[in-house]
Amino acid sequence: MSTMPKTLFWSRTDVPGADHAFAADRRGLTARGTALAVDPIPFTCRYEVRTDEHWATAGLEVSCEGAGWLRTLRLERAAGRWRASTAEQGDLDAVLTAAGRPGAGLPGTEEPERLAEAVDVDLSAAPLFNTLPVRRLGLRDAAPGSSHRIVAVRVLVPSLQVVPAEQVYTVLEEGNVRFSSEGFTADLTLDTDGFVRHYPGLAQRH
């Protein structure tokens, strides 16, 4: 396993948890990370993401694991089409039900054609993934007030269900951005490389 020049560590501010990522970003992004949280049940999520040199996502591999269950997902994008493959051990739905939580549904997607417009992936509650459209669209150097509406491939955790999500990124002062999606809005504080420092209501980087 190759070493990475950057290390990024976030503490969750909404629930007990953390996210630790290693990244190389000189020619696009190659990154891997581990996220832990206790909601909706305790789980560990491991991910690896890679983009092309223009920061368009090429692939994502992610696993979510808890007591008595494990799910994995592999997403690949080629020739403008997404392909998803999944595997499951144990029964996540049964664990969620026993904890008084709603079922998670199936991992992956049965309708990959709904993802056709998407170029970016967004792993739920992982601040690293906001950097993908920030860098791809050059938002750190864009004029305040400029706005971009995109469709992202959203991967929900811990279910690893894959859905299309319409998102809007609006440039604020000092190169920060406002992120909006499905009625949710947060003003993200970024560092000079476009990685999230503070995600209100979700995470704070150390």
Side-chain angles (χ1 to χ4, degrees):
M1 182 179 292
S2 62
T3 60
M4 302 280 189
K6 294 182 183 292
T7 180
L8 307 160
F9 190 96
W10 294 270
S11 292
R12 290 281 292 267
T13 56
D14 55 344
V15 299
D19 189 335
H20 188 195
F22 299 90
D25 65 342
R26 292 190 63 183
R27 293 178 59 85
L29 179 72
T30 300
R32 64 178 184 271
T34 302
L36 304 95
V38 300
D39 186 60
I41 53 176
F43 69 91
T44 297
C45 179
R46 298 177 179 88
Y47 57 85
E48 293 189 18
V49 61
R50 65 186 187 283
T51 75
D52 64 19
E53 62 183 9
H54 303 295
W55 286 76
T57 302
L60 170 71
E61 294 183 31
V62 56
S63 68
C64 280
E65 183 175 10
W69 62 273
L70 169 67
R71 286 187 172 189
T72 61
L73 168 71
R74 183 186 185 96
L75 276 173
E76 293 178 296
R77 179 176 175 269
R81 300 184 64 181
W82 289 93
R83 181 174 61 185
S85 56
T86 64
E88 181 174 15
Q89 300 175 33
D91 190 339
L92 172 57
D93 275 340
V95 175
L96 286 166
T97 300
R101 299 285 191 156
L106 297 174
T109 178
E110 296 182 352
E111 300 177 297
E113 64 276 6
R114 295 180 63 205
L115 309 175
E117 294 182 48
V119 178
D120 308 291
V121 292
D122 182 11
L123 183 63
S124 178
L128 172 74
F129 289 81
N130 293 97
T131 298
L132 303 183
V134 166
R135 292 287 292 267
R136 182 175 65 82
L137 299 170
L139 302 187
R140 278 290 301 171
D141 299 319
S146 58
S147 183
H148 294 265
R149 185 178 300 272
I150 67 171
V151 175
V153 177
R154 185 158 175 80
V155 180
L156 307 180
V157 296
S159 69
L160 300 188
Q161 185 179 7
V162 177
V163 296
E166 188 173 279
Q167 302 178 342
V168 178
Y169 283 82
T170 303
V171 180
L172 305 176
E173 297 292 338
E174 300 180 0
N176 299 317
V177 299
R178 175 168 294 149
F179 169 75
S180 302
S181 182
E182 300 173 351
F184 171 83
T185 299
D187 290 354
L188 311 183
T189 303
L190 309 176
D191 67 16
T192 55
D193 293 321
F195 293 101
V196 174
R197 288 191 180 277
H198 182 217
Y199 192 132
L202 177 68
Q204 177 69 52
R205 205 171 101 210
H206 298 275

